[in-house]
Amino acid sequence: MGRLPEVVGTLTSLRELRLDDNHLTGSIPISIRNLLWLQKLDLSVNLLNGTITFLPGELSNLEILSLRNHHFRSIQDSGLWRLCQLKHLDLSFNFIEGELTGPSTNGSECVQFDLETMDLHYNNFGGKIPTSLGRLTSLRKLNLGWNELTGTIPESLGNLTSLRELYLPWNQLTGSIPTSIGNLLLLQELHLSWNLLNGTIPFSLGQLSNLEFVYLYYNWLSALPLSLGNLSELRHLDISNNHLQGPLPTIGRLSKLEYLDISNNSLSGIVTEAHFTNTSMLEFFDATSNYRLSFEISPNWKSPFQILSLRLGSCKIKSEFPEWIRAQTCLEYLDLSNTSISGPLPDWLGDWLVELPLSFLALSNNFLNGPLTNLVSSHSPNCSTVLDILLLKNNLFNGSIPDLLCNMISYIMVLDLSRNMLSGTLPKCFGLLPNLQVLILSSNRLSGVIPSSLGNLASSLQWLSLNNNCFQGELPKTLANCTNLTLLDLGENRFSGSVPKWIGENMKELVVLRLHKNSFTGPIPVELCERSRLKIMDLGGNKLTGTIPRCFQNLSGMITGGDSSISFSGSFGLSLSQVMKGVVLEYTTTLRYVVNIDLSSNKLVGEIPKELSLLLGLHGLNLSNNQLTGRIPDRIGDMNSLESLDLSINQLSGVIPQSLSALTFLSYLNLSHNNLSGRIPTGSQLQTLNDPSIYAGNSELCGNPLPIKCNHDGVPETERNSEEDEDDDGDEKIWIYGATGGFTTGFMGIVAILVLNNRWRIAFFNFVGYCIGKKL
């Protein structure tokens, strides 16, 4: 490591200077301008910084300039476009800011440019792409990707008829792809992904007979040209994540096509075997999330390809399991989820799976029915696949889970059989799957106890979701061995006994604990306070007793809130239900952001711990339907992330804290059926929660939105009957008469007032006491 010495400038006859990858620091020395005969300068992969400066007349013989991978932040390019013999310019992987400039349009620099490679990617260049770049007619590669360029792609780029590679991804380019792109007849690679391009892909693109790689994903493009089928040399086409509509053009003439991704668009129409007539090289095909695209392929079709990855999720296949897929012997990834496939699994499926290198199989969200026995190979029980992920959720499978399934999927990492009609007990062999990380069997009819063998998955198991079944008994102590669990969902079953202390003592990675609606008894173990990463704790709907632990303030995950390690839940379709805002909500891809405590519908007593108000990241707090007493914590308004608060059906008393009005995100509140009193607080957010049912069943409350008004002391005004009103009127008449009549008559009037009206009597004696006190 060191600086580039000034003495380099004394080597005036030097033609090539290479000091790449030497940990050089500082700036480029001014003396380097003296190297008039220098043809190649390579200082790439160092730690140089400052400004890159080109002055007219300097380094005029330079042909190769590589300054990639430094910390340069600006460029003064007044002399750059006078380097007429420059063939290769690489300033990539720097921090260069400012507008990108091109050669002058008046021809004041070079009559002709020899530049063949211009690579400026991974910088912070802004502004528009200069139209004058169209003068660089010798360019073979132009890479301006991963910058902050705006505006449209200039039509003048169509003048670069020598271009082989055009890279403009990860910018903010708008408008349509220029039709002049059809002039680039030698173009082999086109990368325009991650921009804001819109409109139709130009028909002229079909003229580029040498094009091999086209990447247009993550734009706003709306239609595909029929000419797409003319790209006879095309190997990779990725047009995913756009707004493409209309039918899929035939790709049957693309005999060299290996990779095709049209996923996450709005393509429609029918795809038949004619689309794939000559696609013998196809290895990857992804059409997922094109809801109006229907695959109607004959079951007897013999595909020309041996595909490695086939992804048709959320398209339509209105038939039984496609027979033509049986001929695919190289499949590694198969996604047929949400495709409307119906009927039983074919009897050849188990043997077929054993013969494949398949690592991912998704058949979720269909109408598949019958038992799972056909999923199991009829070969020797020792036969197994290399399957990593198996997703069969949300079908109509019934019967028990076959024990032989474990032999077949001995390498499984993710197994999701949720939302079916499976019955029977949980196979003990699941505890013998050494790589199992995610086991989701929720929403079935499974029964019995959790086998103790699951405790064998001590180092691997991360998610265990068995909710909404008929499991019973106490939780096996061997589960305490599963110290890497981040999600444990056993809700909606018939589990009994106490909530185990070892959940808090052993499961140090736990983020989600859901034991909702079981028959757990006893107190909430204080050991749960040791789980600092916990973000969802749902113990509602049990028979828990005792008080709420004050140590919940140690749940630091509920203080910080935010993202969690359940970040990839949406990838496998994991869903988790939570009672939030008075209703049951299903969380999938947003589960990572949920922070919630639900202790509702138990038999908890005592006060709400004031320490709960320290959980600043909490989104939901539900303590309803218990036997809690005392006051609502005064500092509950400190919980500034709270969106849902339910304290209904308890025995809480006292006033509602004014700090409640500080909860600016609060959109659901229920304080009904308690013993609260006094004036209901007002505030910007509380004004929007104007449903009187929020406060129903608290007879001593007053103020908006209740019809009961408060007096000046903040207590409900009592209504007076008509007789009392008449008496008051009579009292006032007597007082007036006493004030205006003679002394005797007036005195008798006063006596009458004191006899008839208790309020006046008290006022009179207070007045007399005041006068005596003054005199003394």
Side-chain angles (χ1 to χ4, degrees):
M1 180 179 291
R3 301 176 68 88
L4 189 61
E6 289 281 349
V7 71
V8 170
T10 64
L11 307 175
T12 55
S13 299
L14 201 64
R15 296 182 183 275
E16 182 174 332
L17 177 59
R18 290 191 57 181
L19 294 173
D20 54 306
D21 201 5
N22 274 287
H23 301 285
L24 296 173
T25 59
S27 58
I28 300 175
I30 297 176
S31 64
I32 208 166
R33 302 170 181 173
N34 300 328
L35 307 181
L36 301 179
W37 299 101
L38 196 65
Q39 296 177 343
K40 180 176 182 178
L41 176 60
D42 187 352
L43 302 177
S44 57
V45 194
N46 280 290
L47 301 171
L48 299 176
N49 53 38
T51 299
I52 302 172
T53 304
F54 296 97
L55 296 177
E58 293 179 350
L59 305 177
S60 57
N61 291 300
L62 203 60
E63 296 181 4
I64 297 175
L65 175 61
S66 180
L67 299 177
R68 66 183 175 87
N69 210 335
H70 285 283
H71 296 120
F72 293 118
R73 294 194 172 273
S74 61
I75 177 172
Q76 294 180 359
D77 57 358
S78 57
L80 175 63
W81 299 113
R82 294 182 183 272
L83 302 179
C84 304
Q85 298 184 52
L86 192 64
K87 296 182 184 300
H88 301 283
L89 173 64
D90 189 349
L91 304 179
S92 61
F93 290 97
N94 278 285
F95 300 89
I96 304 174
E97 300 175 342
E99 286 196 12
L100 180 65
T101 60
S104 173
T105 55
N106 59 20
S108 60
E109 292 109 351
C110 301
V111 176
Q112 179 178 338
F113 292 94
D114 292 338
L115 196 62
E116 297 178 2
T117 301
M118 182 177 177
D119 193 343
L120 306 180
H121 79 287
Y122 273 112
N123 277 286
N124 297 317
F125 283 112
K128 298 181 178 181
I129 298 175
T131 58
S132 62
L133 291 185
R135 292 188 58 198
L136 308 177
T137 53
S138 297
L139 264 185
R140 297 165 61 91
K141 176 181 177 179
L142 175 61
N143 192 344
L144 305 178
W146 294 273
N147 278 285
E148 298 175 5
L149 298 171
T150 58
T152 59
I153 301 174
E155 289 278 351
S156 63
L157 291 191
N159 299 332
L160 307 180
T161 53
S162 299
L163 206 61
R164 267 76 165 173
E165 302 173 33
L166 176 58
Y167 299 87
L168 302 176
W170 284 89
N171 281 288
Q172 301 171 37
L173 300 173
T174 56
S176 58
I177 300 173
T179 56
S180 64
I181 204 166
N183 300 334
L184 309 180
L185 299 180
L186 299 179
L187 196 65
Q188 297 173 343
E189 298 190 30
L190 176 63
H191 298 253
L192 304 178
S193 54
W194 286 100
N195 278 289
L196 303 171
L197 301 171
N198 56 40
T200 303
I201 298 173
F203 189 87
S204 61
L205 188 73
Q207 301 170 195
L208 307 182
S209 57
N210 290 296
L211 206 54
E212 297 182 20
F213 300 92
V214 177
Y215 299 105
L216 304 176
Y217 54 91
Y218 281 103
N219 277 288
W220 295 80
L221 300 169
S222 58
L224 289 170
L226 294 176
S227 62
L228 205 63
N230 299 334
L231 303 176
S232 57
E233 296 295 316
L234 196 62
R235 294 169 56 192
H236 282 215
L237 175 61
D238 191 340
I239 48 178
S240 62
N241 295 282
N242 278 280
H243 292 268
L244 298 171
Q245 300 179 2
L248 175 67
T250 180
I251 58 173
R253 287 176 289 171
L254 306 181
S255 59
K256 296 184 179 181
L257 191 64
E258 302 170 2
Y259 184 104
L260 176 60
D261 192 345
I262 59 172
S263 62
N264 296 298
N265 281 290
S266 299
L267 295 171
S268 58
I270 297 173
V271 177
T272 67
E273 49 266 48
H275 280 81
F276 305 98
T277 305
N278 295 311
T279 56
S280 59
M281 303 293 289
L282 192 63
E283 295 182 345
F284 180 100
F285 180 41
D286 190 349
T288 53
S289 297
N290 283 280
Y291 298 97
R292 295 183 290 173
L293 199 63
S294 181
F295 285 77
E296 298 183 9
I297 295 176
S298 169
N300 299 321
W301 178 56
K302 295 182 179 180
S303 66
F305 49 73
Q306 281 294 321
I307 203 162
L308 302 179
S309 180
L310 180 61
R311 310 180 185 204
L312 305 181
S314 298
C315 295
K316 291 291 178 286
I317 304 176
K318 296 181 179 179
S319 66
E320 295 186 349
F321 196 93
E323 180 75 22
W324 61 269
I325 292 181
R326 184 178 184 181
Q328 305 304 313
T329 59
C330 300
L331 261 178
E332 298 175 0
Y333 192 111
L334 178 60
D335 183 0
L336 299 179
S337 57
N338 196 28
T339 56
S340 301
I341 297 176
S342 59
L345 295 175
D347 54 9
W348 50 263
L349 185 63
D351 293 340
W352 177 69
L353 290 175
V354 170
E355 297 170 356
L356 293 175
L358 197 67
S359 62
F360 183 102
L361 174 60
L363 303 176
S364 303
N365 303 308
N366 283 295
F367 302 99
L368 294 165
N369 56 42
L372 290 174
T373 50
N374 286 346
L375 193 66
V376 180
S377 172
S378 61
H379 286 75
S380 166
N382 295 325
C383 289
S384 63
T385 71
V386 293
L387 198 62
D388 291 329
I389 298 172
L390 175 60
L391 308 179
L392 301 180
K393 75 165 191 172
N394 207 7
N395 279 285
L396 302 171
F397 293 122
N398 55 34
S400 60
I401 302 173
D403 287 332
L404 286 177
L405 184 64
C406 294
N407 294 334
M408 179 183 166
I409 58 175
S410 58
Y411 297 99
I412 195 77
M413 296 170 57
V414 177
L415 177 60
D416 187 349
L417 302 176
S418 62
R419 298 179 186 271
N420 282 286
M421 296 186 291
L422 298 171
S423 58
T425 58
L426 194 62
K428 296 179 180 179
C429 67
F430 279 176
L432 304 176
L433 298 173
N435 300 311
L436 190 62
Q437 297 179 17
V438 175
L439 179 59
I440 307 175
L441 302 175
S442 57
S443 299
N444 279 287
R445 301 172 183 175
L446 299 168
S447 59
V449 298
I450 297 178
S452 59
S453 60
L454 278 188
N456 297 333
L457 305 176
S459 60
S460 62
L461 195 61
Q462 297 179 28
W463 296 356
L464 179 59
S465 180
L466 304 178
N467 66 292
N468 198 17
N469 278 285
C470 302
F471 291 112
Q472 58 189 8
E474 296 188 7
L475 303 186
K477 293 181 180 179
T478 55
L479 272 184
N481 299 332
C482 300
T483 56
N484 288 321
L485 268 178
T486 58
L487 180 143
L488 178 61
D489 186 357
L490 305 178
E492 292 88 26
N493 280 287
R494 301 171 186 172
F495 292 114
S496 58
S498 60
V499 177
K501 295 180 180 180
W502 44 256
I503 293 179
E505 292 171 339
N506 290 36
M507 297 181 178
K508 299 179 181 179
E509 304 298 321
L510 201 61
V511 176
V512 176
L513 173 62
R514 186 173 183 274
L515 305 179
H516 190 89
K517 205 172 183 182
N518 279 282
S519 296
F520 288 108
T521 57
I524 300 172
V526 295
E527 287 78 8
L528 291 182
C529 299
E530 299 176 24
R531 297 287 58 86
S532 60
R533 300 189 63 197
L534 202 62
K535 292 182 182 289
I536 296 178
M537 180 170 58
D538 188 348
L539 308 179
N542 283 282
K543 301 176 183 177
L544 300 176
T545 56
T547 60
I548 299 173
R550 294 188 177 276
C551 61
F552 280 175
Q553 62 180 319
N554 297 329
L555 300 174
S556 55
M558 297 186 181
I559 297 175
T560 57
D563 203 347
S564 72
S565 61
I566 309 295
S567 58
F568 53 98
S569 58
S571 303
F572 303 131
L574 173 68
S575 63
L576 185 132
S577 62
Q578 287 286 272
V579 177
M580 291 276 280
K581 303 182 181 180
V583 295
V584 179
L585 299 177
E586 288 284 334
Y587 292 94
T588 53
T589 54
T590 57
L591 176 58
R592 60 197 291 186
Y593 303 111
V594 180
V595 187
N596 187 41
I597 290 180
D598 188 345
L599 304 178
S600 63
S601 300
N602 281 288
K603 299 179 181 180
L604 300 174
V605 297
E607 297 185 348
I608 300 174
K610 61 181 181 181
E611 289 80 4
L612 281 182
S613 61
L614 298 175
L615 304 181
L616 306 183
L618 203 63
H619 299 156
L621 177 61
N622 189 350
L623 305 179
S624 66
N625 199 14
N626 279 287
Q627 300 168 24
L628 299 173
T629 56
R631 301 168 64 94
I632 299 173
D634 287 336
R635 302 194 62 175
I636 196 167
D638 292 350
M639 305 170 71
N640 49 28
S641 297
L642 211 57
E643 301 174 22
S644 175
L645 176 62
D646 193 343
L647 305 178
S648 63
I649 316 178
N650 279 287
Q651 300 170 30
L652 300 173
S653 58
V655 299
I656 300 172
Q658 180 63 38
S659 69
L660 199 66
S661 62
L663 299 177
T664 54
F665 292 103
L666 193 67
S667 58
Y668 177 83
L669 176 65
N670 193 349
L671 303 179
S672 64
H673 301 288
N674 280 285
N675 299 316
L676 300 171
S677 60
R679 187 189 302 273
I680 295 172
T682 57
S684 57
Q685 185 65 16
L686 285 181
Q687 299 301 109
T688 65
L689 304 175
N690 53 8
D691 184 355
S693 67
I694 293 174
Y695 308 100
N698 292 280
S699 59
E700 297 299 317
L701 283 178
C702 60
N704 289 327
L706 295 178
I708 303 173
K709 306 301 180 184
C710 301
N711 63 20
H712 64 279
D713 294 322
V715 297
E717 287 186 353
T718 55
E719 295 185 5
R720 295 175 296 181
N721 58 38
S722 56
E723 293 180 1
E724 290 176 334
D725 291 340
E726 290 175 0
D727 287 344
D728 285 349
D729 290 342
D731 296 340
E732 290 169 5
K733 291 176 182 178
I734 293 172
W735 175 257
I736 294 171
Y737 182 79
T740 55
F743 171 79
T744 303
T745 307
F747 178 79
M748 293 303 296
I750 292 174
V751 171
I753 291 172
L754 297 180
V755 171
L756 295 175
N757 192 292
N758 184 55
R759 287 182 298 166
W760 284 110
R761 185 165 60 251
I762 294 172
F764 175 79
F765 286 116
N766 285 339
F767 175 75
V768 172
Y770 174 79
C771 294
I772 294 172
K774 273 289 197 180
K775 197 168 186 179
L776 294 174

